[in-house]
Amino acid sequence: KDQAVLTETERSRYICAFNMINNDGTLGQLVDIHSEMHMQHANARLLPWHRVFLYLFEEALHNYHPDVCIPYWDWTRPEEQHFPDWLGAVLPTVHTPTRTINVIRAPGSGGGLASIASGTPTAMSKTTYGEFSGIINGIHGSVHIWVGGTMSDAAVSPADPVFWLHHANLDR
């Protein structure tokens, strides 16, 4: 479901489930898995690898709220070309087996995100996965950099709750 149309209850449940898997250590384990070298970035494995990663995260959320699904952040839509307001103050501290991460952000301008998103129609017009994946990889990384802070570092980016919304949009 698009994050822009979530009800207050759906938003609260997502944040609650996120906090629960952070508190039980599951999120920290997922962050460390993402930081390992699985060749999941900058090549054609980006989307399939992250699809499985999203599945593991969503299953963890279901342990606390079976009705919670990962919403997507459709940054291609002009009305969503800003950081999702309801997540703005959600800046968790995540303890992984190897470190502690304090989530920070420094989102760019809406115009910057619009510029990044403008490449999406080109990616969607490609007729082979190889052509598509190269373009979508660039867009993917640019959105991470646009959000800034924790999201701009692949070794820690899943600690930010918006990571999951961004990747749900890519998967969509």
Side-chain angles (χ1 to χ4, degrees), residues 76-94:
T76 66
R77 298 180 55 183
E79 60 272 21
E80 292 189 55
Q81 289 174 343
H82 57 84
F83 190 86
D85 296 332
W86 63 279
L87 285 178
V90 183
L91 298 165
T93 297
V94 177

Side-chain angles (χ1 to χ4, degrees), residues 54-91:
L54 287 167
Y55 173 78
L56 295 173
F57 176 76
E58 193 164 74
E59 287 299 300
L61 296 175
H62 289 163
N63 287 331
Y64 295 101
H65 282 290
D67 59 336
V68 169
C69 294
I70 306 168
Y72 61 89
W73 170 32
D74 189 354
W75 34 256
T76 66
R77 298 180 55 183
E79 60 272 21
E80 292 189 55
Q81 289 174 343
H82 57 84
F83 190 86
D85 296 332
W86 63 279
L87 285 178
V90 183
L91 298 165

Side-chain angles (χ1 to χ4, degrees), residues 5-80:
V5 299
L6 292 177
T7 66
E8 278 301 315
T9 299
E10 289 169 325
R11 291 174 180 181
S12 294
R13 285 184 177 159
Y14 176 79
I15 292 168
C16 177
F18 182 92
N19 288 334
M20 296 299 287
I21 67 169
N22 185 20
N23 292 340
D24 77 10
T26 302
L27 181 62
Q29 291 172 352
L30 290 170
V31 171
D32 275 359
I33 288 168
H34 190 266
S35 72
E36 296 169 357
M37 184 56 149
H38 298 284
M39 300 302 293
Q40 75 268 36
H41 294 103
N43 61 52
R45 291 186 65 185
L46 175 80
L47 295 177
W49 191 94
H50 283 85
R51 175 169 284 178
V52 173
F53 200 54
L54 287 167
Y55 173 78
L56 295 173
F57 176 76
E58 193 164 74
E59 287 299 300
L61 296 175
H62 289 163
N63 287 331
Y64 295 101
H65 282 290
D67 59 336
V68 169
C69 294
I70 306 168
Y72 61 89
W73 170 32
D74 189 354
W75 34 256
T76 66
R77 298 180 55 183
E79 60 272 21
E80 292 189 55

Side-chain angles (χ1 to χ4, degrees), residues 52-166:
V52 173
F53 200 54
L54 287 167
Y55 173 78
L56 295 173
F57 176 76
E58 193 164 74
E59 287 299 300
L61 296 175
H62 289 163
N63 287 331
Y64 295 101
H65 282 290
D67 59 336
V68 169
C69 294
I70 306 168
Y72 61 89
W73 170 32
D74 189 354
W75 34 256
T76 66
R77 298 180 55 183
E79 60 272 21
E80 292 189 55
Q81 289 174 343
H82 57 84
F83 190 86
D85 296 332
W86 63 279
L87 285 178
V90 183
L91 298 165
T93 297
V94 177
H95 300 281
T96 81
T98 62
R99 63 198 152 185
T100 298
I101 302 154
N102 294 303
V103 172
I104 59 170
R105 298 185 197 106
S109 70
L113 190 52
S115 178
I116 294 165
S118 71
T120 305
T122 301
M124 298 303 288
S125 72
K126 298 305 175 187
T127 58
T128 69
Y129 184 73
E131 292 176 322
F132 166 78
S133 67
I135 297 167
I136 210 69
N137 255 303
I139 294 168
H140 153 262
S142 294
V143 173
H144 274 273
I145 299 301
W146 180 89
V147 171
T150 305
M151 274 284 282
S152 64
D153 181 350
V156 295
S157 57
D160 192 328
V162 82
F163 169 94
W164 304 97
L165 280 67
H166 170 48

